[in-house]
Amino acid sequence: MIKALDRSMIAGTTLFEGLDAEALDDIAHAAKTIRIAAGETLFEQRDEADAFYILIVGSVTIAQTTPEGHRVVIRHIGPRDMFGAVPLFTRSVYPASAAAVTDSLAARWDSATTRRLMGRYPRLVINALTIVSLRLEELQNRYRELATERVEQRVARAILRLVRQSGKQVEDGVQIEFPLSRQDIAEMTGTTLHTVSRLLSSWERRGVLDGGRMRIVLRKPHVLLAIAEDLPPAGMHPTE
């Protein structure tokens, strides 16, 4: 653990938009940095929520386990994303677990430090509310998708979300930058591994994407978008 980080590592983070260099220095120096090995859990669902985090490097998955024991992936966190934000507004427990997908580095601010910084920089409160509101809207959209859309649409939307979040242009398309298994996609979309495997195999045969072990490269985004919107182009038919 390193005692402080440089402001350049948090500059550009949505939570800190509108703050000057002096404020960013103060916020950076108040943080602790934590290295998380791939597969390591940073906090567990229902742990006491005593801090929030900004991911600096790597990838983290936020997931819930239902009372029946089913794992549901809520969100994939990329660099400069905020997570574990419960202490910003309430003293409670974490509603989900956070685990590193790849070797990662995160900045951590404990609850007392967070309250002090928010009192000093009110812009933090506005930015945090904006982020939380957007994520609530995202969850509402996910719920609507589960309630109203076919599985093929949900899987297509999930892949497109990940491409927008962490896609990198490569020679043959746009690659999702962190390891992603078919089981991960199933847990994001409320379906089974068998169904996801069937859909991805079909899209691979059609040249829509390339999928390997923990890897997805989207080759025809417009086709996947049409599937997500239930408007297949000529020659493409939804897989029931």
Side-chain angles (χ1 to χ4, degrees):
M1 184 181 294
I2 304 169
K3 295 261 182 213
L5 70 159
D6 186 86
R7 72 166 181 260
S8 64
M9 300 171 77
I10 60 172
T13 301
T14 303
L15 181 62
F16 304 134
E17 284 182 357
L19 297 173
D20 60 23
E22 183 178 354
L24 289 175
D25 279 337
D26 185 25
I27 292 167
H29 292 159
K32 301 293 188 295
T33 55
I34 300 176
R35 297 190 182 277
I36 320 148
E40 183 180 353
T41 298
L42 185 57
F43 54 79
E44 295 280 2
Q45 183 175 336
R46 302 200 65 78
D47 280 354
E48 181 182 357
D50 59 356
F52 86 94
Y53 302 82
I54 297 288
L55 189 64
I56 306 301
V57 176
S59 178
V60 168
T61 295
I62 306 297
Q64 283 187 335
T65 301
T66 70
E68 296 75 26
H70 301 300
R71 184 174 182 265
V72 180
V73 174
I74 304 300
R75 185 177 179 83
H76 285 278
I77 301 295
R80 288 180 165 76
D81 276 350
M82 177 180 76
F83 63 103
V86 170
L88 296 177
F89 304 103
T90 182
R91 296 178 182 178
S92 183
V93 296
Y94 291 115
S97 302
V101 179
T102 60
D103 291 345
S104 301
L105 176 71
R108 178 186 188 274
W109 291 264
D110 63 36
S111 296
T113 300
T114 299
R115 290 192 293 272
R116 175 176 62 80
L117 291 171
M118 286 189 158
R120 183 175 299 174
Y121 306 111
R123 181 61 185 261
L124 284 176
V125 179
I126 298 171
N127 290 346
L129 284 170
T130 299
I131 293 169
V132 171
S133 296
L134 289 173
R135 291 195 180 171
L136 176 60
E137 180 180 356
E138 179 183 320
L139 287 174
Q140 290 172 332
N141 288 337
R142 293 270 299 275
Y143 178 80
R144 175 186 53 77
E145 291 168 12
L146 286 169
T148 65
E149 294 185 350
R150 293 178 296 103
V151 171
E152 186 177 40
Q153 290 177 269
R154 300 202 305 267
V155 173
R157 286 191 192 280
I159 293 173
L160 289 170
R161 273 196 297 267
L162 294 174
V163 166
R164 286 193 295 269
Q165 180 183 344
S166 62
K168 178 183 179 181
Q169 192 72 42
V170 294
E171 184 176 354
D172 54 347
V174 183
Q175 180 173 331
I176 296 172
E177 284 204 279
F178 54 83
L180 183 70
S181 71
R182 295 186 175 192
Q183 182 63 42
D184 290 333
I185 297 172
E187 291 171 351
M188 291 177 65
T189 55
T191 188
T192 65
L193 174 60
H194 171 76
T195 298
V196 170
S197 295
R198 175 172 57 84
L199 288 171
L200 294 191
S201 296
S202 173
W203 294 343
E204 288 172 14
R205 290 193 298 270
R206 299 172 183 180
V208 178
L209 53 78
D210 288 331
R213 179 174 172 80
M214 307 294 285
R215 172 182 179 272
I216 288 182
V217 177
L218 182 56
R219 299 181 62 188
K220 297 179 180 179
H222 63 287
V223 175
L224 204 63
L225 180 61
I227 294 171
E229 297 298 332
D230 204 21
L231 295 170
M236 296 289 295
H237 301 283
T239 303
E240 298 297 333

